[in-house]
Amino acid sequence: MQTDLLDRLAAGCVVLTPNRRLALYLKHQFDAVQTAAGRRVWRSAEVLPWGVWLERTYGELTCCSDDATLLSPLQERALWQRIIEASPHANALLDPGAAARAARDAWMVQHAWRLDVAAQRAHHDADVTAWFEWSRHFGRICDDNRWLDGGRLADAVAALLTRARDRAPRDVVLYAFDQLDSQQRALLDALASTGTRVEERAPAGCAATVVRTGYDTAEDELAAVAHDVRCILETKPDARIGVVVPGLAENRSLVMRVFDDALQPARVLSGGSGRSRPYNLSLGQALADYPLVHTALLLLRLACRPLTLAETGSLLRSPFLAAAETEMTGRALLDARLRRRGGLTVDAELLRRYARGTGDGSGDCRVLSRCLDAWRRLTDGIAGRRQPPSAWSATFLSLLAVFGWPGERAPDSPEHQTVEKWRETVTGLAALDAIFPVLGFNDALSWLRRASNETLFQPESPDGPVQILGMLEAAGLEFDELFITGLCDDAWPGSPRPNPFLPVVLQRACAVPHASADWELGFAQRMLALWSRAAPRVRFSYPLRDGDVELRPSPLLADVTEVLPTAAPQPYRAQIYAAAALERLPDATAPALAPGTRAHGGAALFSNQAACPFRAFAIHRLGASALESGCSGLDARNRGSLVHQALAGLWRDIGSHARLLELNAGEAAAAIADAVGAALADLRRKRPDVLSDGFARLEHDRISALLTRLLELERRRAPFEVLACEEPRALQIGGIAVDVRIDRIDRLPDGAHVILDYKTGAVSAGAWDGERPDEPQLPLYAVTDGGDVDALSFVRLSAQEVAFKGRSRTAEVLPGVAPGAEDDASWNALFDSWRGVLERLAAEFLGGDARVAPKRYPQTCRYCDVGPLCRVTELFDRGPLAAEHDDE
């Protein structure tokens, strides 16, 4: 900082800056000089951002008067939105909230640059016309209520200073402002007229070595810059380093990941996140994006609206609720149960019912259940309640307290600061009392969520040697090393962004920022000149590729010396992996099982073993399964279950072919209606949210039509008697015991059996053949039946076809089913071959065969849940099995 400016600050000069970061930097510099001079006490430097100084000055000048009340930005947004939603133009808007933000920005620009919008009627399009009406309404409301908005604050301060000349500051310096608007100029003129010494000052800067470097991608660019920063800090730990990143808000997570890996690699290890980072980001993230606040907003939304399955899972896994750690397992099981239920959403009442557990102690969440019981009492009738926003603030905090938010564990410093900022935001809703006398729950929560999304927050941390900044935050700062990234041709100069609610011609004529390409070019040139003097060494960089798009350096860098990039080292995690001493162990064999072992999963064990041994091992031994995702309405499984249940009820009623032939059309229709109705009623008891009356009628008609077609087909069969429907059986084969449920077994007059399996999708008897059959279920039932089996068949039930698809001993057993053998010997041989395949599959499973060996890759793996566990893609596409797979 210049010596004369230090002296003026000590004498009481007010220094105004364009942003908060520069103000803090200048204050720290001033304090450092005082400390170095040996002073223990000194007068604080008055270095303030422009907006903060305006608000403070207005408050000081009106503290004992009845001047207008200054509105907060949230109040202004609320008033703009209220006006817009009540206007005739509201129906044409998709997002009135976004329109309110843009309208407020237009109001600020109009007053800052003295734009005479009324005189530009010829250039008014529909947007400008609508905004002009809103702005006149906004101005009238503010005037009638003696409210002062941010757009007219500078004018109000100028008027007050003119009247109270003795209260104006004696010395004011505007430091590092790129461009002053007309309103700021008028205020400075008013200050000068009171005798205030007013000066504009730019940073002195220094002679710098400036170079530029291109990198392949933006991530490569950041990684190289982070590596260079690390090298500088290793030799000069006290160096002050600046890194400018365009679009820092959008690229925040990438920047943090890259710089963590380079500057604090321990963060990639478990338990390495407790230390403070050696860098500071100038831009925080939205308050709503912090996990603490995200949990709070989900809880509040649950009071009146259901959550999605993903949101419910996030809430149940949150560590910021009471008993989050002690009930961790139970809440995870509760999440899985809610997903198995099949719905897409979960409301508070459903969550309360399920939180009580299954009754056997598994999955119980007693603390959560008690919280939900108290929650239910507190939220009773809340949807219809209307009260002032300040009252909703208290209600919201009370609702969160019921769930023990922010949790039972002691928060660390960032979490504590986040909680305090959240509480400040919630209580800040009271400011809306002036705009909305009363609000409903959903509207109040909407404003809270909006405030949380628009509040950028970053917990305080120790000042680090590295400052990562946005494009504007670096103005006026001084560094030992400065890196400017992202200066490719499509980003610098930037594209014009005129406000859509103001005439573009007028904005360009008055040189409004970002309104024209000429302004963007001039701004880019001024910033490059400023950066080039901000440090002894300045490095510009840019990516050369964005996906498939080739990029070039900004043309403004044409005269800057280009240097070749240096290769950045591998990421820390890659270095750890490369340095590891790997021990290779075969993992294709699991511990063997004893003969007679009972396996869960039924007949699917054999189809999974045939499809891929690892799939059978993971599902039937490890119990691996994917979390279900729910669906809207009935999924294929629900529809299939309805058909199975209706058929079971129908054949229990009819019982035999003879009884079927006795039924006339009306009696058959009545039997079908009763069976389908009972199946639908049972599903509606289990899932009342799925089947509305209209949907139930549609399903009734659909299933009834299928069953009617099936009975017509069954009438053409030879006589039979239904022996079993949906019969549970314990089967043993090859040393494995499995529990199955057979859809139906018919007995023929000679005592032989016909085994049937209902299917609503495409089927083929060819799925029973081969050493690795796709559908070994019916062969399993047949070879373990214990009786004489004359036929086994799928019964396909779909709108396209109702038919038998199988094999029989003779042609007369099932309509449309050809004989599967020439004589009894070949029929028995077919059964022997099936038995041999099933026994071999059973022996492989018992022996611990767990090879990743899909029958047909990638078709076999397309709908498999255990792919992330076996890593089949890595093995077959990029790993040791890739060449073998390619040869096939």
Side-chain angles (χ1 to χ4, degrees):
M1 187 184 296
Q2 298 96 323
T3 304
D4 67 319
L5 187 55
L6 284 170
D7 295 338
R8 290 168 66 178
L9 276 171
C13 173
V14 177
V15 175
L16 304 180
T17 63
N19 58 63
R20 187 179 298 272
R21 179 167 288 268
L22 180 55
L24 290 173
Y25 169 69
L26 294 178
K27 288 188 71 172
H28 288 163
Q29 277 203 319
F30 177 82
D31 292 341
V33 169
Q34 308 308 311
T35 303
R39 297 186 180 94
R40 300 180 62 185
V41 178
W42 58 88
R43 178 177 177 178
S44 296
E46 287 204 74
V47 186
L48 299 169
W50 174 266
V52 173
W53 177 77
L54 281 179
E55 293 182 14
R56 192 190 75 170
T57 303
Y58 184 78
E60 290 174 348
L61 295 174
T62 60
C63 63
C64 298
S65 66
D66 60 348
D67 287 85
T69 301
L70 180 62
L71 296 177
S72 69
L74 180 64
Q75 289 173 315
E76 289 186 45
R77 275 281 314 284
L79 181 56
W80 278 106
Q81 185 163 333
R82 193 184 80 181
I83 292 169
I84 290 171
E85 289 176 342
S87 74
H89 307 282
N91 293 332
L93 297 172
L94 294 176
D95 187 354
R101 281 195 301 272
R104 179 177 180 267
D105 291 343
W107 177 266
M108 302 285 285
V109 170
Q110 180 206 13
H111 286 85
W113 294 92
R114 307 298 197 215
L115 303 184
D116 191 355
V117 180
Q120 297 288 325
R121 292 281 186 176
H123 300 289
H124 285 201
D125 57 16
D127 290 337
V128 177
T129 300
W131 177 83
F132 193 64
E133 294 177 11
W134 300 335
S135 64
R136 288 191 297 178
H137 194 183
F138 179 84
R140 284 197 302 268
I141 292 177
C142 289
D143 293 341
D144 292 344
N145 290 277
R146 295 187 58 76
W147 291 339
L148 177 63
D149 59 87
R152 296 183 286 185
L153 175 59
D155 294 333
V157 171
L160 288 168
L161 288 172
T162 302
R163 295 202 308 265
R165 304 167 69 92
D166 58 324
R167 300 176 67 181
R170 293 178 300 170
D171 193 5
V172 173
V173 173
L174 276 75
Y175 190 83
F177 279 78
D178 173 62
Q179 185 179 12
L180 293 176
D181 57 50
S182 303
Q183 193 178 48
Q184 289 172 323
R185 290 287 181 195
L187 176 53
L188 295 180
D189 290 342
L191 273 174
S193 69
T194 66
T196 300
R197 177 186 175 187
V198 178
E199 179 187 353
E200 296 178 45
R201 179 172 294 202
C206 62
T209 301
V210 183
V211 297
R212 64 181 174 98
T213 305
Y215 298 91
D216 187 36
T217 66
E219 185 166 356
D220 292 339
E221 177 188 15
L222 285 173
V225 169
H227 173 63
D228 290 344
V229 168
R230 180 185 178 94
C231 292
I232 294 169
L233 291 176
E234 287 174 347
T235 57
K236 296 185 291 184
D238 296 330
R240 181 173 172 81
I241 303 171
V243 180
V244 176
V245 180
L248 182 56
E250 296 80 12
N251 298 307
R252 191 176 192 275
S253 59
L254 171 63
V255 170
M256 293 183 68
R257 175 168 59 81
V258 170
F259 276 81
D260 278 348
D261 194 276
L263 303 184
Q264 200 177 73
R267 279 188 172 269
V268 306
L269 304 177
S270 176
S273 60
R275 299 169 55 193
S276 297
R277 289 181 166 91
Y279 63 86
N280 297 109
L281 270 74
S282 67
L283 189 65
Q285 62 183 8
L287 184 61
D289 292 339
Y290 285 86
L292 264 165
V293 178
H294 178 71
T295 297
L297 289 172
L298 285 180
L299 278 174
L300 294 177
R301 185 146 60 88
L302 185 64
C304 267
R305 293 167 54 191
L307 303 179
T308 66
L309 279 176
E311 290 171 336
T312 305
S314 173
L315 186 63
L316 290 173
R317 295 190 301 274
S318 172
F320 307 116
L321 305 182
E325 295 185 7
T326 55
E327 291 188 349
M328 182 188 304
T329 302
R331 294 182 189 183
L333 294 173
L334 172 58
D335 182 21
R337 287 176 55 216
L338 289 167
R339 289 172 178 272
R340 284 196 300 272
R341 170 183 162 272
L344 287 175
T345 59
V346 177
D347 60 23
E349 182 58 27
L350 180 67
L351 183 60
R352 190 177 71 88
R353 280 205 320 271
Y354 272 68
R356 294 172 181 169
T358 58
D360 59 359
S362 64
D364 289 355
C365 303
R366 297 182 181 179
V367 175
L368 179 63
S369 179
R370 288 198 297 270
C371 291
L372 286 165
D373 288 340
W375 172 272
R376 182 186 188 188
R377 293 189 295 270
L378 202 60
T379 58
D380 186 29
I382 200 171
R385 192 183 309 170
R386 295 182 65 79
Q387 57 188 19
S390 55
W392 282 119
S393 296
T395 300
F396 291 154
L397 294 175
S398 298
L399 289 173
L400 295 178
V402 169
F403 276 94
W405 185 93
E408 56 193 356
R409 62 182 178 83
D412 56 22
S413 176
E415 288 175 346
H416 177 74
Q417 294 178 58
T418 305
V419 169
E420 293 305 311
K421 187 64 176 179
W422 162 256
R423 287 179 172 149
E424 176 187 324
T425 304
V426 175
T427 56
L429 284 182
L432 294 180
D433 285 0
I435 311 298
F436 301 111
V438 293
L439 284 175
F441 178 87
N442 287 327
D443 289 335
L445 181 57
S446 176
W447 278 107
L448 177 60
R449 186 168 57 248
R450 187 176 295 120
S452 301
N453 282 320
E454 295 176 2
T455 299
L456 295 181
F457 173 68
Q458 184 162 268
E460 293 183 4
S461 59
D463 192 22
V466 182
Q467 304 295 316
I468 302 177
L469 313 161
M471 281 291 185
L472 299 178
E473 284 82 10
L477 298 178
E478 297 171 346
F479 304 94
D480 299 315
E481 303 271 353
L482 179 59
F483 298 83
I484 315 295
T485 67
L487 298 183
C488 54
D489 57 346
D490 70 340
W492 198 255
S495 301
R497 305 186 306 277
N499 191 291
F501 286 131
L502 297 172
V504 176
V505 173
L506 185 58
Q507 294 183 66
R508 290 174 177 170
C510 296
V512 172
H514 306 294
S516 66
D518 289 340
W519 189 93
E520 293 289 349
L521 175 60
F523 174 72
Q525 291 171 332
R526 293 192 301 273
M527 291 302 296
L528 283 176
L530 191 64
W531 290 331
S532 298
R533 301 191 307 272
R537 296 181 61 189
V538 179
R539 310 184 202 184
F540 297 124
S541 61
Y542 41 85
L544 297 173
R545 183 168 54 84
D546 181 10
D548 295 332
V549 179
E550 291 187 2
L551 304 174
R552 293 172 296 180
S554 169
L556 300 180
L557 301 179
D559 297 332
V560 179
T561 303
E562 182 177 8
V563 298
L564 295 177
T566 57
Q570 287 183 312
Y572 189 54
R573 56 177 64 85
Q575 295 181 45
I576 293 176
Y577 183 79
L582 298 180
E583 180 183 2
R584 299 187 179 275
L585 298 174
D587 62 352
T589 304
L593 298 174
T597 296
R598 182 170 298 278
H600 73 87
L605 181 150
F606 295 91
S607 60
N608 286 332
Q609 184 71 30
C612 177
F614 183 86
R615 182 191 295 183
F617 167 72
I619 294 175
H620 301 282
R621 290 189 63 174
L622 300 183
S625 63
L627 286 175
E628 300 186 35
S629 56
C631 71
S632 178
L634 297 178
D635 58 13
R637 182 178 59 185
N638 294 140
R639 291 173 179 269
S641 297
L642 276 175
V643 172
H644 277 68
Q645 192 170 351
L647 280 167
L650 179 64
W651 282 111
R652 289 192 187 103
D653 181 29
I654 296 177
S656 67
H657 182 260
R659 172 61 181 155
L660 174 62
L661 295 179
E662 292 174 0
L663 298 177
N664 58 36
E667 292 170 333
I672 290 173
D674 290 343
V676 176
L680 287 170
D682 183 63
L683 179 62
R684 293 187 78 173
R685 282 193 299 271
K686 298 175 181 175
R687 294 284 308 278
D689 59 310
V690 172
L691 283 177
S692 63
D693 291 340
F695 191 12
R697 285 194 296 271
L698 290 174
E699 281 298 297
H700 191 286
D701 293 345
R702 181 186 71 85
I703 300 172
S704 297
L706 292 176
L707 268 57
T708 300
R709 293 168 64 186
L710 176 62
L711 290 189
E712 291 301 319
L713 181 65
E714 300 266 17
R715 289 176 187 273
R716 295 172 16 216
R717 287 179 56 184
F720 65 87
E721 178 185 359
V722 177
L723 183 63
C725 287
E726 299 291 331
E727 180 178 76
R729 284 191 178 182
L731 307 181
Q732 287 200 12
I733 186 168
I736 291 181
V738 293
D739 295 320
V740 300
R741 185 176 294 274
I742 302 176
D743 289 350
R744 180 172 148 202
I745 302 176
D746 293 347
R747 183 167 55 201
L748 303 180
D750 62 357
H753 291 174
V754 174
I755 302 176
L756 302 176
D757 189 58
Y758 303 123
K759 296 291 184 183
T760 56
V763 291
S764 169
W768 304 336
D769 299 332
E771 292 299 307
R772 300 176 72 175
D774 293 330
E775 295 280 354
Q777 182 177 6
L778 276 171
L780 173 66
Y781 297 163
V783 301
T784 58
D785 181 69
D788 189 16
V789 178
D790 264 11
L792 60 160
S793 176
F794 294 120
V795 184
R796 191 187 180 199
L797 294 155
S798 70
Q800 293 79 21
E801 181 182 35
V802 174
F804 293 108
K805 301 282 186 178
R807 291 176 184 165
S808 62
R809 190 194 300 267
T810 61
E812 297 81 15
V813 180
L814 293 172
V817 174
E822 297 178 358
D823 51 32
D824 287 349
S826 57
W827 180 250
N828 293 334
L830 177 63
F831 274 59
D832 289 340
S833 67
W834 284 340
R835 182 178 289 103
V837 169
L838 291 167
E839 288 177 345
R840 179 181 56 77
L841 292 174
E844 290 177 357
F845 183 80
L846 286 175
D849 185 3
R851 292 168 297 130
V852 180
K855 179 180 177 181
R856 288 184 296 273
Y857 179 80
Q859 293 86 349
T860 302
C861 306
R862 187 164 296 154
Y863 302 109
C864 178
D865 291 339
V866 299
L869 186 60
C870 71
R871 297 171 298 162
V872 65
T873 302
E874 290 84 347
L875 289 172
F876 277 77
D877 290 349
R878 300 185 294 275
L881 301 179
E884 178 184 332
H885 173 61
D886 291 341
D887 292 340
E888 294 177 359

